[in-house]
Amino acid sequence: MIDLELLEELVAFQKYGTLSASAEHLMITQPSVTRGMKRLEQELGVELFNRQVNRITLNETGELAASEAKKLLQAENDFTEKILNFSKMQNYINIGSVTPGPLLLTEAKKYDFKEKLTFNHQLVSQNHVFSDLRTYKERLIFTAQEFDEEDIESMYLGTEELAVRIDKMNPLAQKESVTFKDLAGLSFLVVQDIGPWVQVIEDHIPEAQFLYQKDLPALDELTHYSNFPVFRTNLTLATGYKERDDDDRILVPIKDEDNYIELYGTYLKNQRSVIQPFLKELAKNWPK
């Protein structure tokens, strides 16, 4: 069986183009790479390189071997990750989400559930939902769309809707509710990673400025020292988060036909017996 380290050296050579650069990347000596490549050729029984004075390059067979080696190394890495993740999750439901609201809500209420929960606080890209579930990186992902695949399914939970906290001196703060058009032209403080909500607010609030902040602590600090409006949702409000006593903003609902995101719990079908009871309990107590 071919040593995976030799394949790593081959892939490095394809990427960096020289023995010295490959050795530097792998943090080994150049003679070690040279010996490794000769050994790999011997084990495969083929020539992988064009060798000239002071120059070595991959031949066509070498290019193919390097490309296939890259796939093999990725498969080996995926195999290891999948087994480790599966082992870790046996006693927990590890939860990810494409948007922060349901994750914050579930974490705030985690002691209300009989299941042991852990959380991935880095939002999952919609494009990575399937791969994360299939490698057991998460056992459950809150998604903004429903899936029904051969091995993956979703359960509807409820909707997330925005409200806005507006400075009490702003005339909009005196209204019972506002629409997205009412908020046109305002500047908002927004946490940077809000998933699909970015598209909603940027598409539907005309001529607005969104001052995106890296994380919640940064957002809270700027909120304290400014009068820019900030968003809340029915889910974040249900976490029990307390606003600062000196915050002069008024919470105003947004009544707009575009102000909602449908949320689902998405999971592998072979995990249904564990995940569905938890989701049913969560849906039963979903904030209105």
Side-chain angles (χ1 to χ4, degrees):
M1 183 174 180
I2 295 174
D3 190 336
L4 292 179
E5 290 184 2
L6 299 181
L7 299 184
E8 289 176 354
E9 293 174 16
L10 180 63
V11 170
F13 183 86
Q14 184 188 48
K15 181 176 181 180
Y16 296 101
T18 66
L19 294 170
S20 59
S22 303
E24 182 178 355
H25 169 72
L26 296 168
M27 293 186 291
I28 58 178
T29 66
Q30 181 175 327
S32 294
V33 178
T34 300
R35 290 192 298 269
M37 294 301 90
K38 288 181 178 178
R39 181 181 161 197
L40 182 59
E41 286 181 313
Q42 290 170 355
E43 293 194 13
L44 290 173
V46 298
E47 291 186 358
L48 302 173
F49 300 91
N50 296 314
R51 290 179 171 87
Q52 301 170 341
V53 178
N54 298 324
R55 179 175 170 79
I56 179 173
T57 58
L58 289 170
N59 60 27
E60 290 188 7
T61 303
E63 291 287 357
L64 176 61
S67 298
E68 293 301 314
K70 187 175 182 180
K71 296 176 186 177
L72 185 60
L73 290 170
Q74 185 61 53
E76 190 274 339
N77 182 71
D78 292 345
F79 166 79
T80 302
E81 181 183 23
K82 186 172 184 178
I83 298 304
L84 290 175
N85 288 340
F86 185 82
S87 177
K88 289 177 183 177
M89 79 171 194
Q90 291 307 295
N91 298 317
Y92 298 90
I93 298 177
N94 188 25
I95 303 175
S97 182
V98 302
T99 185
L103 203 63
L104 293 171
L105 173 68
T106 310
E107 186 167 23
K109 305 291 186 181
K110 64 182 179 180
Y111 296 114
D112 296 343
F113 302 100
K114 63 180 181 180
E115 295 86 358
K116 294 180 179 179
L117 310 176
T118 59
F119 303 90
N120 176 10
H121 294 99
Q122 182 175 355
L123 293 190
V124 177
S125 165
Q126 195 78 15
N127 295 330
H128 293 161
V129 169
F130 289 178
S131 61
D132 277 12
L133 289 173
R134 287 167 178 158
T135 58
Y136 301 104
K137 187 174 181 180
E138 289 90 20
R139 205 170 189 178
L140 166 66
I141 299 177
F142 296 124
T143 60
Q145 68 184 86
E146 183 178 13
F147 296 102
D148 186 10
E149 302 292 320
E150 181 179 354
D151 58 337
I152 291 172
E153 65 185 9
S154 301
M155 177 184 292
Y156 176 73
L157 296 172
T159 61
E160 185 173 25
E161 301 169 10
L162 292 176
V164 62
R165 289 183 59 80
I166 306 175
D167 185 89
K168 66 181 181 181
M169 302 304 294
N170 189 312
L172 293 177
Q174 312 310 314
K175 301 184 70 170
E176 291 187 4
S177 64
V178 294
T179 66
F180 281 143
K181 287 186 178 179
D182 291 333
L183 302 174
L186 296 181
S187 296
F188 297 85
L189 290 174
V190 186
V191 70
Q192 187 169 351
D193 207 357
I194 56 172
W197 279 117
V198 170
Q199 202 68 43
V200 173
I201 61 176
E202 291 187 354
D203 285 352
H204 297 290
I205 304 181
E207 300 177 1
Q209 296 292 320
F210 300 103
L211 310 175
Y212 290 103
Q213 304 306 307
K214 182 178 180 180
D215 51 37
L216 286 173
L219 180 71
D220 287 345
E221 189 70 11
L222 282 174
T223 299
H224 177 57
Y225 290 106
S226 73
N227 62 355
F228 293 120
V230 294
F231 293 110
R232 298 288 184 261
T233 79
N234 56 317
L235 304 189
T236 57
L237 290 170
T239 64
Y241 175 80
K242 301 296 183 183
E243 307 289 351
R244 296 178 66 128
D245 293 337
D246 56 355
D247 187 348
D248 289 330
R249 293 175 180 79
I250 305 297
L251 183 70
V252 182
I254 299 174
K255 300 296 185 182
D256 195 290
E257 63 181 7
D258 296 305
N259 179 30
Y260 76 97
I261 289 177
E262 291 185 340
L263 291 169
Y264 301 82
T266 300
Y267 52 91
L268 289 173
K269 290 180 179 179
N270 64 18
Q271 299 295 308
R272 182 185 296 158
S273 62
V274 175
I275 302 301
Q276 274 200 357
F278 166 72
L279 289 179
K280 288 177 181 179
E281 186 66 21
L282 180 60
K284 186 171 67 175
N285 295 284
W286 195 261
K288 304 301 182 185

